[in-house]
């Protein structure tokens, strides 16, 4: 039985020619990633076809509420979705304190750009148990929606999970 070996890591070097080649390669990979997103090219065909599909906010809640409703600190996650809204990844963007989470749009969209996915869902919990979105939650969501439009990555929803309830900002018409 043979196993696939990983290619050696590409690292910086003191050799100027090699460094120029590495810089060109990184730039080409960046451009290819942008093209993959723009034209919705599946860049990871090995992704499992049996991943959960996000049809509505309840799908997000079913996937994450058991875990996130119990957290003592505010946590922000992004679900990475393919063209058919299958979850192909989940990243924790921020682990905050009991009251707030400071999130930059670049941190939210970075995993989506790297994984070349066309859709994301933002999810965070409120350790207080009350899922009512704050003014900051609403402002962040509107800002992320605008950034996503510029990047060609659609923010499908922002779900806030409380102790026993949840709120979809999309369903509530807050963005």
């Amino acid at each position: 039985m043979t196993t696939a070996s990983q290619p050696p890591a590409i690292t910086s070097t003191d050799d100027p020619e090699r460094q120029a080649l590495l810089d060109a390669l990184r730039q080409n990979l960046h451009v290819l990633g942008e093209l993959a997103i723009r034209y919705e090219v599946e860049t990871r065909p090995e992704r499992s076809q049996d991943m959960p599909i996000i049809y509505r906010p309840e799908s997000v809640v079913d996937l994450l509420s058991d875990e996130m409703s119990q957290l003592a600190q505010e946590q922000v996650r992004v679900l990475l979705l393919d063209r058919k809204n299958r979850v192909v990844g989940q990243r924790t963007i921020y682990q905050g304190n009991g009251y707030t989470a400071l999130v930059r749009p670049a941190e939210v969209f970075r995993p989506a750009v790297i994984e070349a996915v066309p859709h994301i869902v933002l999810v965070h919990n409120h350790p207080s148990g009350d899922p009512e979105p704050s003014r900051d939650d609403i402002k962040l969501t509107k800002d992320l929606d605008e950034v996503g439009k510029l990047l060609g990555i659609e923010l499908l929803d922002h779900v806030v999970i409380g102790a026993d309830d949840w709120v979809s900002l999309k369903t509530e018409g807050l963005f």
Side-chain angles (χ1 to χ4, degrees):
M1 177 167 94
T2 61
T3 59
S5 62
Q6 294 292 326
I10 299 175
T11 59
S12 293
T13 179
D14 291 333
D15 179 7
E17 288 180 25
R18 182 172 167 87
Q19 185 61 45
L21 180 62
L22 290 174
D23 290 343
L25 178 60
R26 286 186 185 106
Q27 181 62 32
N28 285 339
L29 288 173
H30 177 75
V31 169
L32 287 172
E34 288 181 3
L35 289 171
I37 290 168
R38 178 171 289 143
Y39 296 106
E40 297 184 355
V41 174
E42 183 61 60
T43 60
R44 304 222 181 210
E46 73 278 3
R47 289 177 178 161
S48 174
Q49 300 299 310
D50 62 347
M51 295 299 288
I53 298 175
I54 302 302
Y55 292 108
R56 57 195 190 291
E58 290 84 359
S59 304
V60 175
V61 173
D62 291 344
L63 182 65
L64 297 174
S65 70
D66 287 345
E67 179 184 352
M68 291 187 75
S69 66
Q70 304 300 316
L71 296 172
Q73 294 178 305
E74 191 161 337
Q75 190 176 87
V76 180
R77 298 184 189 181
V78 63
L79 295 177
L80 308 172
L81 309 176
D82 69 7
R83 291 186 316 265
K84 296 180 180 178
N85 290 348
R86 280 189 305 258
V87 176
V88 297
Q90 176 185 157
R91 303 291 185 281
T92 300
I93 300 302
Y94 185 81
Q95 179 81 28
N97 56 39
Y99 302 102
T100 186
L102 301 173
V103 178
R104 292 178 346 133
E107 295 161 347
V108 172
F109 285 100
R110 181 178 295 121
V113 170
I114 291 170
E115 294 294 326
V117 296
H119 308 118
I120 65 168
V121 172
L122 191 68
V123 186
H124 83 276
N125 67 309
H126 281 175
S128 68
D130 180 6
E132 191 62 32
S134 68
R135 276 184 268 138
D136 289 340
D137 293 339
I138 296 167
K139 181 180 180 335
L140 172 66
T141 305
K142 289 178 180 180
D143 291 347
L144 292 175
D145 187 47
E146 290 301 313
V147 170
K149 288 175 183 172
L150 292 172
L151 292 172
I153 301 171
E154 184 178 4
L155 175 64
L156 296 179
D157 205 343
H158 180 175
V159 177
V160 182
I161 296 175
D164 297 316
D165 205 2
W166 55 272
V167 172
S168 159
L169 277 77
K170 184 73 155 197
T171 302
E172 295 294 317
L174 298 174
F175 79 103

